[in-house]
């Protein structure tokens, strides 16, 4: 079956622009996660959805970052007024349910470059 | 709070040699521990996980890891490296049955023919 997919695979934008990154989780997975991986570092947690609601957004760095999951499936991470420091690989993962008993399946990521 | 330290950002081994990747963690509660592998242009793939059952955990592709509470370690090993093991490996920790993974910085493995 299909895994987690993310689009676009690469996004280049200019400082100050708005970007949207999309995540299609595995069908039937109720939990969805966003992580950010900066160069030379491991992924860092951003936000977690259970169904349609953001159950934990404590990892979002500031109010320029926002994510939605309106129908409990596809999620979009939105970044306003992008800054060069936002350049990173943004990873999406999904799991059948929440909790570490449930394996998180990761997508290939979207590489965001802010010029 | 939980954190992970991976010793060595790059490891180079000969084909057929032992692979040893080191991971030390800190956790205020009993942890769940994970090793993930990332091949170029692919997503992270779970190799194995420790969830407070057996301390020696066997994973996919011949990898295994041992949880040592006294040393706060969860090192990953494979007896004989294969060329296909060339990838980046991440150790991660989370509190008991939590969803928020905390990752180490990763170790890149290269395999010499």
């Amino acid at each position: 079956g299909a895994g987690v997919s993310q689009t676009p695979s690469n996004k280049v934008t200019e400082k100050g622009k708005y970007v949207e990154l999309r995540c299609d989780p595995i069908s039937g997975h109720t939990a969805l996660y966003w992580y950010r991986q900066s160069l030379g570092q491991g992924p860092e947690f951003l936000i977690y959805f259970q169904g349609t609601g953001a159950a934990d957004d404590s990892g979002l760095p500031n109010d320029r970052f926002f994510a939605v999951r309106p129908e409990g499936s596809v999620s979009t991470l939105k970044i306003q007024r992008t800054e060069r420091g936002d350049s990173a690989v943004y990873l999406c993962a999904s799991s059948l349910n929440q909790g570490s008993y449930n394996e998180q399946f990761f997508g290939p990521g979207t590489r965001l470059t802010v010029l | 709070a939980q954190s992970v330290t991976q010793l060595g950002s790059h490891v180079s081994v000969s084909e057929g040699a032992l692979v040893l990747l080191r991971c030390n963690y800190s956790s205020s509660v009993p942890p769940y521990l994970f090793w993930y592998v990332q091949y170029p242009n692919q997503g992270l793939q779970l190799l194995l996980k420790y969830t407070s059952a057996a301390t020696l955990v066997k994973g996919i592709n011949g990898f295994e890891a041992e949880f040592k509470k006294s040393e706060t370690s969860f090192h990953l090993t494979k007896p004989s490296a294969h060329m296909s093991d060339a990838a980046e490996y991440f150790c991660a920790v989370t509190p008991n049955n939590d969803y928020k993974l905390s990752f180490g910085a990763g170790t890149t493995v290269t395999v010499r023919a």
Side-chain angles (χ1 to χ4, degrees), chain A residues 33 35 37 40-43 45 48 56 58 91 98-101 103-104 106-108, chain B residues 32 34 36 38 41-44 46 49 90 94-95 97-101 103-105:
Chain A
Y33 317 80
Y35 291 83
Q37 186 175 12
Q41 298 181 26
F45 171 82
Y48 153 64
D56 182 351
S58 61
L91 299 171
Q98 72 97 348
S100 52
Y101 284 113
E103 178 181 349
Q104 294 184 24
F106 283 80
Chain B
Y32 282 12
F34 306 79
Y36 282 85
Q38 187 173 36
N41 300 317
Q42 295 186 28
L44 293 162
L46 182 65
K49 68 179 180 182
F90 293 92
T94 188
N97 201 26
D98 197 353
Y99 49 81
K100 195 182 302 183
L101 295 170
F103 287 86

Side-chain angles (χ1 to χ4, degrees), chain A residues 2-115:
Chain A
V4 177
S5 62
Q6 294 186 245
T7 54
S9 56
N10 282 281
K11 176 70 176 177
V12 180
T13 191
E14 294 179 342
K15 180 175 178 292
K17 299 290 188 182
Y18 168 83
V19 296
E20 289 189 353
L21 311 179
R22 177 187 168 106
C23 171
D24 279 87
I26 293 172
S27 178
H29 280 193
T30 62
L32 185 145
Y33 317 80
W34 284 97
Y35 291 83
R36 179 169 71 173
Q37 186 175 12
S38 300
L39 192 63
Q41 298 181 26
E44 294 178 306
F45 171 82
L46 294 177
I47 186 170
Y48 153 64
F49 287 89
Q50 182 59 45
T52 60
D56 182 351
D57 64 357
S58 61
L60 295 178
N62 51 60
D63 61 6
R64 295 186 297 106
F65 288 75
F66 188 71
V68 295
R69 195 186 185 201
E71 297 178 357
S73 178
V74 170
S75 176
T76 305
L77 179 65
K78 307 180 180 190
I79 310 175
Q80 298 177 324
R81 305 183 304 279
T82 52
E83 300 178 356
R84 292 193 179 87
D86 299 335
S87 296
V89 176
Y90 289 81
L91 299 171
C92 177
S94 70
S95 65
L96 192 58
N97 290 298
Q98 72 97 348
S100 52
Y101 284 113
N102 294 277
E103 178 181 349
Q104 294 184 24
F105 293 84
F106 283 80
T110 294
R111 182 175 299 278
L112 175 66
T113 303
V114 182
L115 302 177

